[in-house]
Every structure is written in C-alpha cells, then in structure tokens.
Amino acid sequence: MNNGLRHLAIIMDGNGRWAKTHGYIRSIGHREGVKNVETIIDETYSHGIEFLSLYAFSTENWLRPKDEVSYLMELMDKFISSKSLLKSLKIHRLVVSGCLEGIPANTANKITNLVAQTQNNKGLVINMAINYGGRDEIVVAAKALAQDALDGKILPDEITETALHDRTYNAFIPNIDFLIRTGGDHRISNFMLWRIAYSELYITPTMWPDFKAKQLKQALDDYYSRERRYGALGAGR
C-alpha cells in the first residue's frame, strides 16, 4: 500500500528533562524547545510534507505550576513574534486547533491575526495545537452535530464518520500519517485522537531540544521503510 506522508504530527516532549540533564532550570529547556520548532518547520517543508501538527499547549498543561504556565505563555508570545517565524509565514499557512480562551489577550490576538494573514499561503500548513485536548475536539464536533440535528440540517441516519470529521477543528486537514513523540514516553497524551486511528507511531528517547534535522531524517526513513496496512493483511500474508 501507498505509505506517502502528507501529515506529520509531533508531540514535543522532554524540555524539562533536557534542562535537568544539562543542569539548567526548566524554563531554559522550554526556551530551547521553542527555538527548535523553527528548525523542524523548515526541515519538514524541505521533505515535501504538506501538513505539520505540533502539540504546543494542552488543556492539561494549565495544571502545571503557575509560574511555569506564565513562562510558557511568554514564550508563545515571543515565538509568534519572532522574525524567523514571521519570515516563514510569508509562504507557510498557520492554523490553530484548540481554543484560545484563557490565552493572554495580546498573544491570542497576534495568533488570530497570523491565521488570517496566512490563510492563502501555499506552503506548509502548520497546525498549532494550543489549549487543545483530543477528547475536547470530539465533544466540540459532537455538539455541532447535535445542534445541526436540532436545526433539522441533518438526520440521525445521516451522522457518519465524515459528518463528524467535517465538524472537527480545521476539517480540511487529513488524518495523521506519522506521529512522532520525543522524550521517550509511550503515550498519546490526548493528542488528536480522531486523526490518529491508523497513524504510524515513532517514539524516540531524544528530548525535543535535541531533535534536529538528523533525527527527523532518521524518523522519516523509518516511516518510509514500513508497509501501512490500515487493519488489512499485508501482501503475501
């Protein structure tokens, strides 16, 4: 079967542990992790991939210590204002999955403006999961379906996987082909549950700040060596 890769997703984990390993405070790890995002955006585009989803801030991240959350918000603002990102967004398109409610107003406005300004760009689609939870996304889509049913726009028998998908965040984005998790933990962490039903998974112990072009190439080589079956038997079996 065709194992072409259109949509790459990354759970960017290990910033805090990277900092501890190097004798730094956690905030330094987060800072280095943000710097690495720009590197991976460029590398992803160079490999001809169309969509890149990045787990930037989960709904569960609000439970972290307040000073750490505040620092993450500051980093997010600096990242979306950085010259290198703004240069990338002259060709790439930025979209957001999640809810910007709770994000500092100035930062949320900057993100909203970038989404609007880049919507016609033809480069890589960068899907930033911000204040995002996979279960929340499914609930949002289910509520939209329920409202459409109440309004008489759809009958119960017409509710299909496609109907639900069409009501998820950024429905034009296809299912995830390849999901990378850095930092070595073997869990999904409530990330894009609807779109990973048959994603190929790649877990690496490399912490996110150290996941560079070389490591991405190794992961992609591993992906292209696989045969994707989508639940069916492989050839000759």
Side-chain angles (χ1 to χ4, degrees):
M1 287 188 175
N2 178 22
N3 66 347
L5 202 173
R6 297 184 65 206
H7 187 180
L8 170 67
I10 305 178
I11 299 175
M12 306 175 291
D13 197 19
N15 293 333
R17 283 171 286 157
W18 179 91
K20 184 177 180 180
T21 299
H22 289 79
Y24 302 134
I25 58 175
R26 286 178 62 85
S27 60
I28 300 299
H30 292 308
R31 186 190 69 188
E32 294 305 306
V34 167
K35 289 180 181 178
N36 198 42
V37 170
E38 297 171 16
T39 298
I40 296 303
I41 286 173
D42 292 341
E43 288 300 319
T44 299
Y45 186 57
S46 74
H47 286 283
I49 297 168
E50 300 173 55
F51 301 89
L52 173 65
S53 290
L54 299 171
Y55 211 177
F57 191 86
S58 76
T59 50
E60 291 78 18
N61 286 158
W62 293 111
L63 300 176
R64 293 187 176 191
K66 289 184 178 180
D67 58 344
E68 184 174 355
V69 171
S70 295
Y71 184 72
L72 288 172
M73 292 296 110
E74 291 176 16
L75 278 180
M76 188 183 301
D77 189 85
K78 289 179 180 178
F79 170 66
I80 62 174
S81 304
S82 65
K83 291 182 179 179
S84 55
L85 178 66
L86 294 176
K87 181 179 179 180
S88 292
L89 292 181
K90 291 184 181 298
I91 59 172
H92 300 319
R93 177 181 178 183
L94 178 68
V95 299
V96 171
S97 290
C99 175
L100 293 180
E101 183 178 349
I103 304 298
N106 185 52
T107 303
N109 288 336
K110 289 180 182 178
I111 294 171
T112 300
N113 289 337
L114 283 175
V115 169
Q117 292 167 14
T118 63
Q119 64 178 334
N120 294 320
N121 289 355
K122 304 302 182 183
L124 178 68
V125 175
I126 305 164
N127 177 36
M128 300 295 292
I130 300 174
N131 194 16
Y132 173 88
R135 289 180 173 179
D136 283 350
E137 179 176 21
I138 295 170
V139 169
V140 167
K143 285 181 177 178
L145 273 174
Q147 188 61 56
D148 284 346
L150 284 173
D151 295 341
K153 297 178 181 178
I154 190 169
L155 296 173
D157 288 346
E158 296 172 333
I159 295 176
T160 61
E161 287 188 15
T162 299
L164 194 146
H165 180 94
D166 288 345
R167 290 160 177 82
T168 58
Y169 297 127
N170 301 303
F172 73 96
I173 296 178
N175 289 329
I176 294 169
D177 297 301
F178 192 33
L179 173 61
I180 297 172
R181 181 172 187 134
T182 63
D185 286 338
H186 290 70
R187 58 176 179 268
I188 300 301
S189 296
N190 199 21
F191 182 56
M192 302 195 78
L193 301 178
W194 181 257
R195 284 182 170 81
I196 62 169
Y198 280 100
S199 300
E200 295 292 320
L201 307 180
Y202 183 89
I203 310 296
T204 174
T206 303
M207 304 300 175
W208 173 245
D210 288 332
F211 190 82
K212 307 294 186 181
K214 177 182 177 181
Q215 287 75 23
L216 178 61
K217 176 65 163 53
Q218 289 172 340
L220 295 178
D221 286 345
D222 184 279
Y223 171 84
Y224 285 119
S225 73
R226 304 180 188 184
E227 178 186 12
R228 299 187 70 186
R229 302 190 185 96
Y230 303 94
L233 289 175
R237 295 185 61 190

